[in-house]
Amino acid sequence: MSATIHPTAFVEPGARLGAGVEVGPFCYIGADVEVGEGTVFGPHCVVHGPTRIGRGNRFYAQCAIGGDPQDKKFAGERTELEIGDDNVFREFVTVNRGTGNGGGLTRIGNGNWFLAYTHVAHDCHVGNQCVFSNNSTLAGHVTVEDQVIMSGFSGIHQFCRIGAHAFIGMGALVNGDVPPFLMVAQDGYGRPRGINSEGLKRRGFDAERIGAIKRAYRTLYVSGASLEEARAKLEDMAADSPDVRALLDFIGNGERPLLR
């Protein structure tokens, strides 16, 4: 089945549309854009290249995808955007390509939900099965691991990392790395407020795994130990818990201060 293009849409020569792609009214698809089969664009969507979009994605009205990075250092060099499969982009979502000095690539994985007015800036890497609630925003060079939930009006500072299964509360402004499993609540800049235990239960974490993560959290955030003392204790705990090992490895690989 060939692509379906509304008469008011404009698809540049050189764009490659897979089988079953639907391009809605008044859309624009650029020349260096590749779209996988079954992807649907609602009305007034704009897609600039170089952009590669996978299968089964859904773009609602007024999405602006693959635009130039919002970075004054950008000088027109070739940079790219890659989007995986089965993502949902609601109204007015914006996703920018990378920058030449930032790796040149913005990447989004599979099965994510981006609700209205969310923004993914240049050189960000987003994993799989994340939820970005309305008006949540990533600055440049942010890494978001798998199954993260960002609540409405939350924002992440450039170069920060958000670990897998974390929950960023409504309006929280995050200016440091958030380890896996944590829940961050609004208090000026977001601060740790326990682990995302309800989310972990829903994803099949049993009581033993959650208990180990809670003990690690108390060691890192409640015990009063210095960061180095806490890391030494976590090293012992990690011997019996892959989840604690993942948290400890995350801490060890950071470039920005740990959110504490």
Side-chain angles (χ1 to χ4, degrees):
M1 183 174 58
S2 61
T4 301
I5 302 172
H6 192 274
T8 62
F10 186 81
V11 178
E12 293 274 12
R16 298 182 296 279
L17 307 182
V21 169
E22 298 179 20
V23 181
F26 302 102
C27 287
Y28 171 81
I29 308 295
D32 198 356
V33 173
E34 180 179 340
V35 183
E37 61 187 36
T39 288
V40 175
F41 297 95
H44 295 277
C45 289
V46 175
V47 186
H48 292 281
T51 292
R52 306 290 176 266
I53 298 173
R55 301 184 303 274
N57 295 282
R58 178 68 186 266
F59 296 86
Y60 284 74
Q62 305 285 352
C63 288
I65 307 299
D68 288 350
Q70 300 176 64
D71 187 326
K72 287 187 175 181
K73 298 185 297 297
F74 179 68
E77 62 271 20
R78 179 184 174 88
T79 61
E80 299 183 2
L81 167 65
E82 291 183 0
I83 296 174
D85 303 331
D86 300 317
N87 298 286
V88 173
F89 299 84
R90 293 303 303 250
E91 297 80 1
F92 295 95
V93 170
T94 55
V95 184
N96 295 154
R97 302 192 318 278
T99 58
N101 62 354
L105 176 67
T106 301
R107 177 184 289 124
I108 292 173
N110 306 316
N112 300 287
W113 275 49
F114 297 88
L115 302 188
Y117 293 95
T118 57
H119 175 64
V120 178
H122 58 85
D123 304 295
C124 288
H125 289 187
V126 177
N128 306 308
Q129 298 179 337
C130 298
V131 175
F132 284 60
S133 298
N134 300 69
N135 293 279
S136 55
T137 299
L138 304 183
H141 312 279
V142 170
T143 296
V144 178
E145 296 183 353
D146 295 345
Q147 294 188 306
V148 169
I149 294 178
M150 290 189 55
S151 300
F153 297 92
S154 58
I156 311 299
H157 191 281
Q158 61 191 28
F159 293 100
C160 289
R161 299 173 303 144
I162 310 299
H165 306 286
F167 183 100
I168 310 300
M170 184 178 68
L173 304 177
V174 176
N175 68 339
D177 288 351
V178 177
F181 316 119
L182 263 63
M183 180 168 59
V184 175
Q186 191 274 339
D187 182 14
Y189 278 112
R191 290 291 176 258
R193 294 291 187 268
I195 70 168
N196 185 18
S197 55
E198 187 60 34
L200 297 179
K201 290 176 185 176
R202 292 175 182 175
R203 292 161 194 154
F205 283 61
D206 60 25
E208 182 177 355
R209 291 181 70 184
I210 293 174
I213 294 167
K214 285 183 177 179
R215 289 190 292 275
Y217 175 86
R218 288 195 291 267
T219 297
L220 188 58
Y221 289 102
V222 182
S223 68
S226 69
L227 180 58
E228 289 307 312
E229 291 170 340
R231 290 178 66 175
K233 294 177 181 179
L234 291 176
E235 192 68 50
D236 293 336
M237 299 167 64
D240 299 318
S241 171
D243 297 318
V244 176
R245 169 54 60 191
L247 188 150
L248 190 58
D249 290 345
F250 182 95
I251 294 170
N253 291 330
E255 296 180 5
R256 287 186 59 80
L258 185 69
L259 195 66
R260 291 191 85 196

